[in-house]
Amino acid sequence: MNILNIPEQHIKEVTEFLVENQLILHPQISPKGIPDFSNYYGRDFIMILDRNIVTKLIELCTKGTLNDDFLLKVIGSIMFWVELNGVRITAGIALNEYAHNLNSNLNASKENDVFLSILDFYSPMQWLNLALGNERGIPPIRVSDIKSYIFNIENDHYKMHYAEMLRLTYLFANKELDQTKKMIEFIKWNNDNILFCQYTLVYACLLFSKKIKQLSISEFDQVIKKCRNQAWDLTYLSFWSTLYWTDSNSNEVFLFGTMDKDLRKIFITTHDANINPFIFCFGEKKGSEIDKEYRRIIAGRIKPDITEIVLQNLIETEEENLKQNF
């Protein structure tokens, strides 16, 4: 066993960088991007990495460097921190997204081979040197024997979020409804057609109140692409929620690593116990109106029966509705 002598100041510098940039999230441990493991000592921690981080991690490990010093510091800091704390990392959803977008397993399989080699190939000190800016590169990984994996599989979370994004975009482009009515119309549609997701509701609030990056309504194909991208962002959060939901009594605890500002905003807003997202986004009067209507709509709700066929038909209907705007 190798023993590393790392100055406390270096560990502090990396930790402060991660906290300052809110890169590590969890509803109880790190609801605002500031980890506190007080009630979770002795657990087995696993960090889900989003596509942006995985993309830059793989690029760094295959090319040996990145042309952005901040990204080098992000990757170096995360990788040193997980090594130091014995946290496992997973790129499963990111590789699922990559394979789905390309409709092929080939490139995702190549990335997975590199990903599986990373922790054995590099030392914590190499990651620390990147994090501290002492080095700008690491030896590249060369994988000669590419194995085949299956990542291009249907993801029900993604399909539901894609349907949501199509509807949200349709309402966003509607010039006859004000923002309050758009939000209420989305809640009604959600109630009738699909499962409620806390993250989607918060995203819709932020979108219609202009507190998050706005949708650009231009060419239809580009709008569809943006709907797909945002659907994947929401998929990370909703799928992760199925893992952290019961982790207070589980040995495995799943963290989430992201540098996406909008994803972070959705997450932090959702898990702030002092925030009613309707009032936070729309103000006291309009927010209370939406909140009242939301509670009326879901009272005695019977969840819709969502099958593969129902979901596909819903997506096709919403795509056609949206297309009529072009």
Side-chain angles (χ1 to χ4, degrees):
M1 177 184 293
N2 293 326
I3 298 176
L4 299 176
N5 185 13
I6 302 172
E8 183 178 343
Q9 180 57 35
H10 290 172
I11 297 174
K12 181 181 179 182
E13 184 175 335
V14 170
T15 303
E16 287 178 346
F17 176 80
L18 294 171
V19 168
E20 179 184 348
N21 289 279
Q22 301 173 301
L23 296 172
I24 301 169
L25 303 174
H26 184 276
Q28 281 76 47
I29 295 169
S30 188
K32 294 185 178 180
I34 305 172
D36 178 0
F37 292 89
S38 299
N39 297 319
Y40 284 81
Y41 290 131
R43 308 288 189 89
D44 185 9
F45 294 99
I46 304 164
M47 186 186 294
I48 299 169
L49 301 178
D50 78 352
R51 182 64 202 162
N52 290 334
I53 289 178
V54 171
T55 297
K56 291 305 175 183
L57 175 61
I58 297 298
E59 181 182 344
L60 171 61
C61 294
T62 52
K63 293 183 177 179
T65 191
L66 298 172
N67 59 7
D68 186 308
D69 288 344
F70 177 75
L71 291 177
L72 280 171
K73 191 172 182 68
V74 168
I75 300 301
S77 297
I78 289 175
M79 295 305 295
F80 173 72
W81 186 86
V82 298
E83 287 257 42
L84 180 69
N85 292 285
V87 175
R88 288 184 284 154
I89 54 175
T90 176
I93 306 177
L95 294 172
N96 182 194
E97 177 185 358
Y98 189 34
H100 181 271
N101 288 342
L102 296 178
N103 195 28
S104 168
N105 289 303
L106 180 59
N107 286 357
S109 293
K110 291 178 180 178
E111 285 199 356
N112 193 48
D113 275 333
V114 173
F115 186 81
L116 294 174
S117 305
I118 287 173
L119 292 182
D120 289 332
F121 193 83
Y122 300 108
S123 71
M125 289 305 300
Q126 287 173 302
W127 297 122
L128 180 60
N129 283 329
L130 290 178
L132 298 178
N134 297 332
E135 299 286 347
R136 295 203 73 260
I138 51 178
I141 293 176
R142 308 293 184 204
V143 178
S144 55
D145 182 21
I146 304 297
K147 299 181 180 63
S148 179
Y149 305 91
I150 299 175
F151 289 107
N152 186 22
I153 57 177
E154 292 292 329
N155 187 311
D156 289 342
H157 283 262
Y158 164 75
K159 293 176 78 171
M160 286 191 285
H161 289 308
Y162 178 50
E164 292 168 346
M165 283 307 305
L166 291 168
R167 191 62 181 182
L168 282 170
T169 306
Y170 172 79
L171 290 169
F172 183 84
N174 189 309
K175 293 182 173 25
E176 297 177 1
L177 299 176
D178 64 25
Q179 305 308 317
T180 302
K181 290 180 180 177
K182 287 179 182 182
M183 189 67 215
I184 292 173
E185 284 302 309
F186 177 70
I187 292 170
K188 290 178 180 177
W189 175 90
N190 201 152
N191 184 69
D192 292 340
N193 292 284
I194 212 163
L195 300 179
F196 276 103
C197 171
Q198 60 181 345
Y199 296 117
T200 302
L201 281 178
V202 168
Y203 170 71
C205 288
L206 294 168
L207 176 68
F208 290 139
S209 63
K210 299 181 180 180
K211 294 183 182 296
I212 204 167
K213 184 178 179 181
Q214 297 292 279
L215 298 172
S216 175
I217 308 298
S218 52
E219 296 181 2
F220 179 70
D221 288 346
Q222 287 301 311
V223 170
I224 290 297
K225 183 178 179 181
K226 289 175 182 178
C227 285
R228 294 186 184 280
N229 288 341
Q230 186 61 45
W232 274 111
D233 284 350
L234 292 168
T235 296
Y236 284 97
L237 295 176
S238 68
F239 180 80
W240 173 41
S241 73
T242 67
L243 300 175
Y244 72 60
W245 198 256
T246 58
D247 70 11
S248 60
N249 299 313
S250 171
N251 185 54
E252 288 189 334
V253 177
F254 287 85
L255 310 170
F256 182 47
T258 182
M259 54 184 176
D260 187 297
K261 293 180 180 179
D262 283 350
L263 258 181
R264 193 160 55 236
K265 188 167 192 175
I266 295 166
F267 173 84
I268 290 174
T269 304
T270 300
H271 292 284
D272 189 331
N274 297 315
I275 285 180
N276 175 314
F278 300 128
I279 294 174
F280 172 74
C281 291
F282 295 93
E284 185 69 35
K285 183 178 179 181
K286 292 181 179 179
S288 296
E289 177 187 339
I290 296 171
D291 187 56
K292 182 179 179 180
E293 190 65 11
Y294 168 71
R295 295 178 188 281
R296 184 193 67 78
I297 291 169
I298 67 170
R301 180 181 192 240
I302 299 175
K303 292 181 182 179
D305 183 23
I306 303 174
T307 65
E308 199 70 31
I309 294 174
V310 168
L311 196 52
Q312 187 57 42
N313 288 341
L314 181 62
I315 287 172
E316 290 173 4
T317 298
E318 293 304 323
E319 283 181 337
E320 187 59 33
N321 287 339
L322 185 56
K323 196 171 185 179
Q324 300 306 312
N325 287 334
F326 292 86

